[in-house]
Amino acid sequence: MSEVQYTFDDVEPVKINTEEPQLCQILYDEEYKTTMGLLLALLQNEEYSDRALYLTQKGIELLASHYTIWIYRYDILLHLNKDLFEELDWCEQVALENEKNYQIWNYRQLIIERILATTTETSRKYEPHREFPILEAMLDSDPKNHHVWSYRKWLVEKFQLFRDPKELEYVEKIILSDLRNNSAWSHRYFLYFSNPELITSEIVDSEIQFVKALIQQSPQNPSSWNYLLGIYKSQKLNIAELESFCLQFIVLDELKLQDEEFNGVKSLYALETLAKINLKNKKYNDSIKIYDLLGSQYDKIRVNYWNFEKKKVQTILTSI
Amino acid sequence: MVSHSSQLYIEKHEKFFHRFLTVLPSKLQSEDANKLALIYFNLYGLSIIRKLNFSDVERKFFVDCIYKDYLLDTDKFTAFRSTANFKYGGEKYDLPNLSSTLFALQILLVLKNDYSAKLNNHKIMRFVKLSQFQSGTMEGSFAPTLINNKSIHEPFGESDIRLCYIAASIRKLVKYDQLSEEKRINDINVNSLIKYVKSRLNIDGGFSSQIKDESHLGYVYCALACLKLLDYDFTKDEEFESVLHWLLQRQVDYPQPLYEHIDYEYYRDEDVGGFNGRENKLGDTCYSWWCLGSLQILGSEYLNLTNLEKNYNYLLQRTQNGLLGGFSKDPHSNPDPYHSFLALASLSLTNEFPELEGVDESLVITSSSKEFWINHISFTD
């Protein structure tokens, strides 16, 4: 990235131990030995210089998982009074070049926190929307990148972007481009439902309508069902209200539920929810029947779990 | 007993772990800061398959390696560093690391080294305590390392449940919980730790790194194991029924006719029987451990709620490598020590494979190491 050539002729690099036998001995290549040897020599002298900054970049490329190099880089920036906005640009390049480098996101937080803590004039220059293009680029290449989504949540929380139109628009776009992107659903839940002061009955209603429509498009999708059931649970709504909704996806002779168009189950989640609704409505035998169907026919891999749930209902039934 | 049609290639695995214990190619130099983890996976991999047969001389060499290269003993605290080379980083930049400290203690245990004769438990706990965040949004949690500003040490780096689990494990391994309260002069704040972990429980029954982040099986395991190590009683808390539900949804299956019209890159038939880490994600060998270990923590009776036979087949037939030994992340990857160790740990949880040693579900050490820990680790005041 940097075009300037630095000279290290005056530095005696630390010799990386390669002679003595050790456990899990890595056969470092020459580049690694040279970079780390120089870096260690500068660390020992606590040298805070442009060439040291340059060397930390090389060190991070080779050994991103080692916190010390990040700490050293940060110390150099502060000692040299570097422009922290330029450092944010640097972070973006590093992130794009190595998607697996997740330390970069924590480091970026550190830089932003520092910017915000400096003079009001500098901190006022920082605008959280500047993060959106880099986050979009990262999520374009891996839409389920956990670290990037976590960072995005940090940003939302830090700058109170829960109802930011651009943020809401973005997460909607991602969900609509892949209804099964669980990270995106979880982010939407975070935006609408993590801050109790911002939850209104209008939002609850419109989110229920939104997710129901998308469940209809793909009924066998845990992400959208978790979103719907999460709203019901957190808002303490009665899941019995979902009975007719669930029945759209279930047509079973065994349950005397019949329809002209199809016979079968389009969604395990609808079926399980129906079992819970029946339990709530004290229709214990119907609940038991559904757990039997789940275990014997529709979700056989979990038969022991469905029997376990069934027994809980049977225990209630025998106790009344 | 459940039936499974494949075998474990014990001898191949033995060779595999030995290979990774000696010399590693330069492409693994990016793992230099995780070397203690690598050593841990290989030694415990050998221990699970009952092939840790080193001579006293070899054992002593290994133990010396750990103390000489990784022990960081200052006036203030005792810890381990993450890479041997950085012992030349000078006073300010030779820094302790929380996960390395746990891996080092576990390694010493499997080598039957009495670290209580060499290390001071209060000084280790002083390090752990310094790593705990005392206020702010991360209160109760831990940082991976410390910064040293004119000999004032402060937590540095991201906090998450993983580090909470690691801190609770170190506290257990130095037997700090066995001391009376007045003797625990450097104890961490256990209440704020439990509060931090529990606040990461999501509405769907999973745990996440930050509040209301996406639930992730790795974090679920760390949360449960951390709480267990702090003697948390799961039975008194109804919320853990939702955790059980979430865990059981992790075993992958795409039954017909429900999935016949669904074409999704994350749904692969070859993953069936294995486990995934999040909803709508690919299966991965390591999640067999993170899920079954989590269930074991909640109660061994819950293991059978999964389909163990299909998990055995997934691991033995699809991710076990019959040529090189070891297990890979998925059927298309090369085997590595991490997935190999966790696959074997997962298989050791039931009595199905008597050739394997058992593994403690929270400390993730083999039975023989745990016995050594119980009987030989004893810190004097």
Side-chain angles (χ1 to χ4, degrees):
Chain A
M1 285 176 233
S2 178
E3 299 303 321
V4 191
Q5 286 295 313
Y6 293 100
T7 162
F8 296 93
D9 296 348
D10 57 319
V11 183
E12 179 69 40
V14 169
K15 206 164 177 319
I16 303 284
N17 173 22
T18 49
E19 281 86 43
E20 275 178 70
Q22 43 184 296
L23 280 170
C24 295
Q25 186 152 21
I26 298 172
L27 300 173
Y28 307 113
D29 60 25
E30 284 309 314
E31 187 196 11
Y32 190 93
K33 282 191 272 191
T34 312
T35 307
M36 291 303 165
L38 286 173
L39 196 58
L40 285 165
L42 299 191
L43 278 168
Q44 281 179 357
N45 294 330
E46 299 183 25
E47 176 176 319
Y48 304 111
S49 62
D50 282 303
R51 68 176 183 179
L53 191 66
Y54 161 78
L55 210 55
T56 58
Q57 176 181 316
K58 286 190 74 181
I60 285 166
E61 280 166 20
L62 293 166
L63 191 59
S65 58
H66 192 41
Y67 293 100
T68 307
I69 310 178
W70 295 96
I71 294 170
Y72 182 42
R73 183 172 176 93
Y74 183 65
D75 287 348
I76 297 169
L77 289 177
L78 299 191
H79 271 91
L80 300 184
N81 215 359
K82 289 282 178 188
D83 181 348
L84 296 176
F85 288 93
E86 277 178 25
E87 189 67 356
L88 290 179
D89 295 339
W90 177 81
C91 288
E92 290 171 22
Q93 289 185 52
V94 172
L96 289 169
E97 277 166 25
N98 181 4
E99 275 180 44
K100 299 253 183 277
N101 181 341
Y102 66 85
Q103 288 83 1
I104 193 77
W105 300 104
N106 179 61
Y107 181 75
R108 192 175 175 90
Q109 283 181 18
L110 186 73
I111 302 294
I112 294 172
E113 298 275 13
R114 182 75 195 186
I115 289 174
L116 297 177
T118 48
T119 60
T120 39
E121 204 188 320
T122 313
S123 63
R124 219 179 291 139
K125 279 200 305 193
Y126 180 79
E127 218 287 297
H129 289 100
R130 72 164 281 147
E131 304 296 301
F132 283 29
I134 177 69
L135 293 178
E136 183 154 356
M138 292 300 291
L139 293 173
D140 270 350
S141 73
D142 177 8
K144 300 184 179 186
N145 186 321
H146 197 72
H147 296 287
V148 175
W149 282 108
S150 291
Y151 176 79
R152 196 165 188 122
K153 290 194 177 71
W154 170 82
L155 189 75
V156 167
E157 186 126 48
K158 187 86 204 164
F159 297 96
Q160 295 293 302
L161 304 175
F162 293 100
R163 295 292 182 272
D164 181 76
K166 279 189 181 161
E167 183 67 5
L168 291 166
E169 191 186 315
Y170 179 73
V171 74
E172 184 140 335
K173 186 182 93 181
I174 297 278
I175 289 176
L176 294 177
S177 69
D178 176 5
L179 297 181
R180 294 173 200 278
N181 186 332
N182 197 58
S183 307
W185 280 105
S186 117
H187 194 73
R188 189 178 180 100
Y189 190 85
F190 172 80
L191 293 178
Y192 279 117
F193 297 104
S194 64
N195 192 337
E197 286 166 23
L198 297 176
I199 304 172
T200 61
S201 58
E202 287 78 20
I203 282 177
V204 173
D205 290 344
S206 68
E207 284 308 288
I208 290 175
Q209 292 320 310
F210 174 80
V211 65
K212 276 183 169 176
L214 295 183
I215 287 174
Q216 270 156 340
Q217 281 185 36
S218 90
Q220 179 58 17
N221 177 8
S223 301
S224 47
W225 277 96
N226 281 343
Y227 191 79
L228 176 65
L229 297 171
I231 296 173
Y232 268 75
K233 191 171 166 189
S234 67
Q235 305 307 310
K236 302 192 169 56
L237 303 174
N238 183 0
I239 56 162
E241 286 172 14
L242 291 174
E243 184 165 9
S244 62
F245 180 70
C246 289
L247 287 170
Q248 292 175 43
F249 312 108
I250 305 160
V251 180
L252 293 173
D253 296 335
E254 295 92 327
L255 294 173
K256 301 195 177 64
L257 303 166
Q258 292 188 21
D259 188 281
E260 299 295 312
E261 301 202 358
F262 81 104
N263 193 326
V265 169
K266 284 184 178 172
S267 167
L268 294 177
Y269 309 101
L271 199 56
E272 189 193 352
T273 305
L274 193 61
K276 288 183 180 157
I277 292 170
N278 283 329
L279 173 63
K280 205 171 172 67
N281 289 338
K282 302 197 165 97
K283 288 152 80 177
Y284 301 108
N285 285 318
D286 286 350
S287 181
I288 288 168
K289 250 187 244 173
I290 293 176
Y291 285 125
D292 274 336
L293 281 171
L294 278 165
S296 66
Q297 225 175 312
Y298 293 101
D299 192 28
K300 290 183 197 166
I301 200 164
R302 270 167 277 278
V303 59
N304 295 345
Y305 178 58
W306 300 126
N307 283 336
F308 170 82
E309 287 294 322
K310 183 177 84 172
K311 273 185 202 129
K312 284 202 234 165
V313 184
Q314 284 170 329
T315 312
I316 299 171
L317 188 59
T318 50
S319 69
I320 44 176
Chain B
M1 300 282 270
V2 274
S3 64
H4 56 91
S5 48
S6 302
Q7 57 161 344
L8 266 169
Y9 304 116
I10 297 283
E11 278 170 30
K12 300 251 183 196
H13 297 320
E14 183 183 4
K15 282 188 188 142
F16 176 84
F17 288 123
H18 275 295
R19 203 156 56 235
F20 274 90
L21 260 182
T22 50
V23 174
L24 306 173
S26 65
K27 68 173 183 187
L28 284 174
Q29 64 198 11
S30 61
E31 296 298 319
D32 205 21
N34 303 319
K35 218 157 135 183
L36 286 172
L38 267 173
I39 298 171
Y40 164 87
F41 297 138
N42 291 315
L43 290 178
Y44 274 94
L46 288 169
S47 181
I48 295 184
I49 58 174
R50 301 178 200 271
K51 297 288 182 191
L52 195 80
N53 306 320
F54 295 114
S55 69
D56 288 350
V57 175
E58 285 170 314
R59 214 179 274 273
K60 185 174 178 306
F61 165 72
F62 292 160
V63 168
D64 290 348
C65 258
I66 301 296
Y67 284 126
K68 179 170 65 73
D69 288 341
Y70 296 96
L71 178 61
L72 178 57
D73 202 10
T74 74
D75 299 342
K76 259 185 159 175
F77 60 77
T78 299
F80 290 81
R81 59 174 75 83
S82 66
T83 135
N85 296 327
F86 276 70
K87 69 182 166 192
Y88 305 112
E91 203 187 329
K92 187 171 165 65
Y93 292 108
D94 180 16
L95 296 170
N97 184 284
L98 201 66
S99 50
S100 304
T101 301
L102 174 61
F103 285 127
L105 295 178
Q106 290 167 319
I107 290 167
L108 293 169
L109 276 181
V110 80
L111 295 170
K112 307 273 190 286
N113 174 260
D114 175 10
Y115 53 72
S116 60
K118 169 127 182 151
L119 308 173
N120 178 308
N121 52 345
H122 298 297
K123 278 179 79 185
I124 293 176
M125 285 307 293
R126 175 112 178 97
F127 162 59
V128 180
K129 189 183 166 76
L130 282 167
S131 309
Q132 189 172 31
F133 290 98
Q134 303 299 332
S135 60
T137 50
M138 300 190 268
E139 183 177 351
S141 176
F142 294 81
T145 186
L146 301 176
I147 43 170
N148 176 1
N149 266 334
K150 301 188 180 78
S151 292
I152 310 273
H153 291 88
E154 284 169 14
F156 177 91
E158 83 285 355
S159 77
D160 62 37
I161 297 186
R162 203 172 45 93
L163 293 154
C164 293
Y165 162 60
I166 288 168
S169 300
I170 296 171
R171 182 173 180 268
K172 192 84 176 175
L173 288 184
V174 302
K175 301 197 169 176
Y176 226 52
D177 58 333
Q178 295 181 19
L179 296 181
S180 63
E181 204 175 331
E182 65 270 22
K183 285 192 176 163
R184 298 200 296 256
I185 50 171
N186 289 329
D187 205 1
I188 56 174
N189 186 335
V190 170
N191 291 334
S192 70
L193 169 55
I194 291 178
K195 199 173 150 201
Y196 176 94
V197 172
K198 285 202 66 189
S199 69
R200 268 71 186 164
L201 175 58
N202 290 321
I203 202 86
D204 62 5
F207 284 83
S208 51
S209 55
Q210 303 308 331
I211 291 175
K212 292 196 169 58
D213 202 343
E214 185 182 11
S215 296
H216 190 298
L217 184 49
Y219 294 120
V220 174
Y221 172 83
C222 290
L224 297 179
C226 177
L227 292 173
K228 173 97 171 190
L229 290 167
L230 301 170
D231 297 318
Y232 188 84
D233 180 7
F234 296 106
T235 56
K236 67 171 188 198
D237 204 331
E238 279 185 17
E239 279 301 302
F240 286 92
E241 284 185 25
S242 72
V243 179
L244 185 64
H245 180 270
W246 190 87
L247 284 170
L248 285 153
Q249 296 299 317
R250 301 282 53 82
Q251 193 165 24
V252 175
D253 195 17
Y254 303 111
Q256 300 296 334
L258 268 163
Y259 285 87
E260 71 188 343
H261 301 301
I262 303 175
D263 182 22
Y264 190 51
E265 59 180 310
Y266 292 88
Y267 293 171
R268 299 187 304 206
D269 283 334
E270 68 201 28
D271 288 349
V272 167
F275 293 80
N276 64 15
R278 302 182 250 163
E279 299 290 3
N280 288 327
K281 288 279 285 179
L282 299 173
D284 181 319
T285 293
C286 70
Y287 295 123
S288 290
W289 163 260
W290 300 123
C291 188
L292 296 178
S294 296
L295 290 170
Q296 177 84 11
I297 288 168
L298 290 176
S300 56
E301 68 274 25
Y302 298 128
L303 283 181
N304 282 317
L305 299 186
T306 64
N307 188 320
L308 291 171
E309 184 191 344
K310 288 202 164 156
N311 179 48
Y312 298 148
N313 289 339
Y314 171 76
L315 295 176
L316 294 176
Q317 293 174 9
R318 275 173 262 161
T319 72
Q320 180 176 228
N321 193 307
L323 191 67
L324 303 168
F327 291 76
S328 52
K329 167 191 171 69
D330 59 35
H332 310 286
S333 308
N334 287 322
D336 64 77
Y338 167 78
H339 289 94
S340 306
F341 167 69
L342 289 182
L344 291 165
S346 147
L347 294 172
S348 79
L349 282 172
T350 59
N351 299 324
E352 188 68 20
F353 301 91
E355 61 270 49
L356 300 180
E357 233 192 75
V359 171
D360 182 272
E361 67 274 13
S362 319
L363 289 171
V364 203
I365 53 177
T366 42
S367 318
S368 55
S369 308
K370 192 177 176 186
E371 245 178 74
F372 181 82
W373 171 68
I374 292 170
N375 298 324
H376 296 274
I377 300 299
S378 165
F379 290 92
T380 48
D381 289 331

